[in-house]
Amino acid sequence: MITRNDFLKLAAAGMAWPLWADVPAVRRPAAGRKLRLALVGCGGRATSLILNMLGEDVVALCDPDSTRFEVILSRMKAYKYAGDLSKIRHFRDYHDLYQKMGREIDAVVIATTNHHHAPAAIEAMRCGIHVYVEKPMALTVAEARLMREVARQTGVATQVGNQAHTTEGVRRAVEYIRSGVLGEVKDVWCWVDRVNAFAVRPKSVAVPSTLAWEPWIGPCTRDVLEEGMHPHGWHAWTGLGNGSIGNMGTHLLDPAFWALDLYGTPPSSVAELDCRPGGEGSWALRSTVEYVFPAHGKFGETKVRWMDGLRGDLPYDDAHVKPMDRATELAYANRPPVVEELERRHGVNLGAVGALFLGANGAICLTSGGAITFVPDKIRKELPKPPMTLPREKHLTHMEDFFRAVRGQRPAGCDFATAEPVAEAVLLANVASRAGGGTLVWDGQKVVNNASANAFLTTPYRKGHEVV
């Protein structure tokens, strides 16, 4: 039996990936039958995801916090779920779910804390279950690569919850940039007003009676629950979440990978140019990251920058940070100077979240939801309309795209093979931060100028939590 650690050692040594000999055949539902779905993780994100599952057959809910079941069931009832709510089974631990219902589930939707994404997804795939997982797809680079490889070997349908990938706006922007009408795009700026961090380490608190601690903490080496960590604040803690870039980076970096054909071109370097550290155990209160992608194909060297958090030395308090970890005002957010200059010059508001593509003939700005802004606005009419080269399906949602893949119609647009390089870039920013900043030279497999940084490509797990 090959353990997760064995797998990662083989990967690090450049050896062949192990093959899983005991994976069940991929199941495809009969024509006309509803998909049998399980929802793993019933927190805040799940209240939106469940609405996209109501046309299918929801057979199970899984969450360590028992209070979440009624929230999801009430949501399903309010939105007129046609099935029998009383038949939906409840589980506190996904290991138990897969063991007892693995053959009764076609697909699983995973919306857990980030540190459970890989274990929950890999176990499902090895049961022959198709997997939709929220972003980022994994906690570490090694996990993301493992997920991609297991998906390839098992042949299940996969999708990462990067909803903007399916939108008209992102696809149209990609067509504009690929066509060259903007001129050569050498610089991309991505930013977000999230502050998924804390300035002072919170105090430890008692585990609520409704929260099953062992299934919740799972493989993480942390041993106490801290104030604000559950149900939403876990994004801020190392070992549980991936900070602001982990929360939003997939949405904003993916269009750059798509438009500039970076999926097969890893960055040659990742540099943390600026960082305002958070409290002990926290991700940064502010960060600026620069990726340098080498010339490839028709594209020259490209720099992609990321900015998040609080501007300057503004205090982390209620006046400057909202309860959901956003800057309370746009002026408090750590945004690119080039964005603010374009706003002043052209009288536009590019917002608190965006990805700006700068070309010789103007710029295109995308929000996380996929809306396009042309800068200056006049180029919207002046630039030649690029041909429509990417497929469109009217009213197709990101979840429906996944369901069609489960039914064997075609791969989902943001499957693990597509999403993994983007996840890797997001997670390399975490590596740079944990390695103390500066520039990391990346050869596509390891950091070559800072050997100690490579330890952060993987995550230490508690004994007994290997994926086997």
Side-chain angles (χ1 to χ4, degrees), residues 37-366:
L37 305 177
L39 176 62
V40 175
C42 298
R45 185 75 192 103
T47 59
S48 296
L49 292 173
I50 193 64
L51 302 184
N52 295 288
M53 301 165 62
L54 299 183
E56 307 296 339
D57 186 12
V58 180
V59 298
L61 302 176
C62 180
D63 197 286
D65 188 339
S66 61
T67 66
R68 298 305 305 175
F69 298 134
E70 188 55 41
V71 173
I72 297 298
L73 293 173
S74 297
R75 189 96 164 142
M76 296 173 72
K77 183 177 181 180
Y79 281 84
K80 312 299 183 186
Y81 174 64
D84 186 346
L85 295 176
S86 67
K87 291 185 177 180
I88 298 175
R89 296 180 65 180
H90 299 172
F91 294 86
R92 307 289 289 277
D93 189 326
Y94 54 80
H95 303 297
D96 193 29
L97 164 68
Y98 297 146
Q99 182 179 12
K100 294 180 178 177
M101 293 190 69
R103 297 186 180 278
E104 302 171 48
I105 298 170
D106 296 311
V108 62
V109 175
I110 298 171
T112 61
T113 52
N114 295 353
H115 77 296
H116 280 296
H117 285 182
I122 290 168
E123 188 170 345
M125 289 188 285
R126 297 202 63 240
C127 291
I129 299 170
H130 306 280
V131 175
Y132 180 110
V133 65
E134 267 304 312
K135 48 71 195 171
M137 65 183 284
L139 189 73
T140 64
V141 171
E143 283 187 341
R145 291 184 171 188
L146 177 57
M147 291 168 70
R148 178 179 181 171
E149 182 60 21
V150 175
R152 185 191 68 80
Q153 292 180 2
T154 58
V156 299
T158 59
Q159 180 89 302
V160 172
N162 177 22
Q163 291 77 18
H165 195 93
T166 309
T167 63
E168 168 67 23
V170 166
R171 294 184 180 219
R172 197 61 179 146
V174 168
E175 289 166 343
Y176 266 99
I177 295 160
R178 281 184 173 180
S179 72
V181 297
L182 274 184
E184 185 177 10
V185 174
K186 295 182 178 181
D187 294 283
V188 180
W189 288 90
C190 302
W191 70 96
V192 67
D193 64 343
R194 297 298 174 101
V195 193
N196 292 122
F198 49 82
V200 178
R201 185 163 190 165
K203 63 183 180 181
S204 60
V205 294
V207 177
S209 61
T210 57
L211 181 65
W213 173 251
E214 280 297 320
W216 189 83
I217 200 64
C220 183
T221 55
R222 291 182 178 275
D223 57 5
V224 296
L225 182 68
E226 294 176 348
E227 194 172 46
M229 189 184 283
H230 176 72
H232 175 76
W234 51 265
H235 285 289
W237 273 260
T238 59
L240 294 173
N242 297 88
S244 300
I245 192 170
N247 194 0
M248 295 295 292
T250 299
H251 294 306
L252 296 170
L253 292 175
D254 177 71
F257 272 75
W258 203 355
L260 301 174
D261 195 23
L262 298 174
Y263 290 122
T265 306
S268 56
S269 66
V270 181
E272 186 177 65
L273 302 180
D274 174 57
C275 174
R276 180 183 173 189
E280 181 188 0
S282 171
W283 292 107
L285 293 167
R286 183 185 71 250
S287 64
T288 299
V289 177
E290 179 182 85
Y291 302 91
V292 177
F293 291 90
H296 61 286
K298 67 177 183 179
F299 299 100
E301 182 181 271
T302 307
K303 292 183 178 179
V304 178
R305 287 94 164 190
W306 169 272
M307 296 181 70
D308 64 42
L310 283 175
R311 184 191 298 267
D313 294 322
L314 290 171
Y316 184 98
D317 57 21
D318 292 344
H320 297 92
V321 182
K322 296 178 182 179
M324 294 300 284
D325 304 323
R326 290 185 177 95
T328 57
E329 295 184 17
L330 190 61
Y332 299 157
N334 180 38
R335 297 200 306 154
V338 65
V339 169
E340 296 179 335
E341 174 58 27
L342 288 173
E343 289 177 329
R344 286 190 293 268
R345 190 189 310 165
H346 299 289
V348 294
N349 182 353
L350 300 180
V353 180
L356 182 76
F357 295 82
L358 292 171
N361 302 325
I364 283 179
C365 184
L366 280 167

